[in-house]
Amino acid sequence: MNERQAKCPFCRQFMTGWRSRYPAKACDQCDRPLFLMPSIFKRDHLAILSALDIAKVLMLPIVTGATISFGLGGLTPSEFAAVVASALLMWGLIDVWDGTAGLKTGIDRVKKQVQKGGKARKTSVAKTIFGFSSVLLGALGLLLII
Ligand SMILES: [Zn+2]
């Protein structure tokens, strides 16, 4: 990784190097969790990834896989409901984390658009509320199933 070109994948701001001996840390600017991963394309090159984005992307194949197995009869309705409820819970936690970090730093991102200041705070409030509702719904769902 070129230290001078270290850029946060979330807020797209340049960082003054990684400055941590651990492969994971929060961004100095936007406070989102980041981690280092060896690049597949370049040797001795480390890529910085946004943990929240990766977590969201990883949830998709899990939910899709569960839906397909349910459709093929591999999962019982309550097992399928448990997967959906856990996904909702996880997704909610990610949104709450994202939202509270946005409230703290005033930096937010919707899709590829980075927002700052008042607009970012409004989106962050919405994300936090939406996230909490998903967590509640997911937790409630799990309680009803188990
Ligand atoms: Zn950042």
Side-chain angles (χ1 to χ4, degrees), residues 86-106:
S86 327
L88 213 58
L89 194 75
M90 276 294 296
W91 228 308
L93 284 175
I94 294 168
D95 270 335
V96 170
W97 192 340
D98 194 2
T100 45
L103 278 177
K104 207 168 104 186
T105 59

Side-chain angles (χ1 to χ4, degrees), residues 30-44:
C30 68
D31 210 34
R32 286 350 184 255
L34 305 173
F35 64 93
L36 281 176
M37 205 189 78
S39 172
I40 324 162
F41 307 107
K42 287 182 203 160
R43 240 189 221 196
D44 305 323

Side-chain angles (χ1 to χ4, degrees), residues 23-70:
K25 70 165 204 162
C27 172
D28 301 330
Q29 318 280 341
C30 68
D31 210 34
R32 286 350 184 255
L34 305 173
F35 64 93
L36 281 176
M37 205 189 78
S39 172
I40 324 162
F41 307 107
K42 287 182 203 160
R43 240 189 221 196
D44 305 323
H45 185 97
L46 289 169
I48 304 171
L49 297 172
S50 158
L52 292 179
D53 288 336
I54 302 299
K56 277 194 179 182
V57 169
L58 285 180
M59 298 295 288
L60 288 172
I62 296 173
V63 176
T64 316
T67 311
I68 294 169
S69 333
F70 178 58

Side-chain angles (χ1 to χ4, degrees), residues 10-11 27-33 52 94-110 115-132:
F10 193 94
C11 62
C27 172
D28 301 330
Q29 318 280 341
C30 68
D31 210 34
R32 286 350 184 255
L52 292 179
I94 294 168
D95 270 335
V96 170
W97 192 340
D98 194 2
T100 45
L103 278 177
K104 207 168 104 186
T105 59
I107 301 172
D108 187 61
R109 200 195 63 193
V110 177
Q115 301 176 328
K116 275 184 195 169
K119 208 179 168 194
R121 277 177 218 281
K122 265 186 212 161
T123 324
S124 298
V125 169
K127 272 187 186 171
T128 311
I129 294 169
F130 181 75
F132 266 123

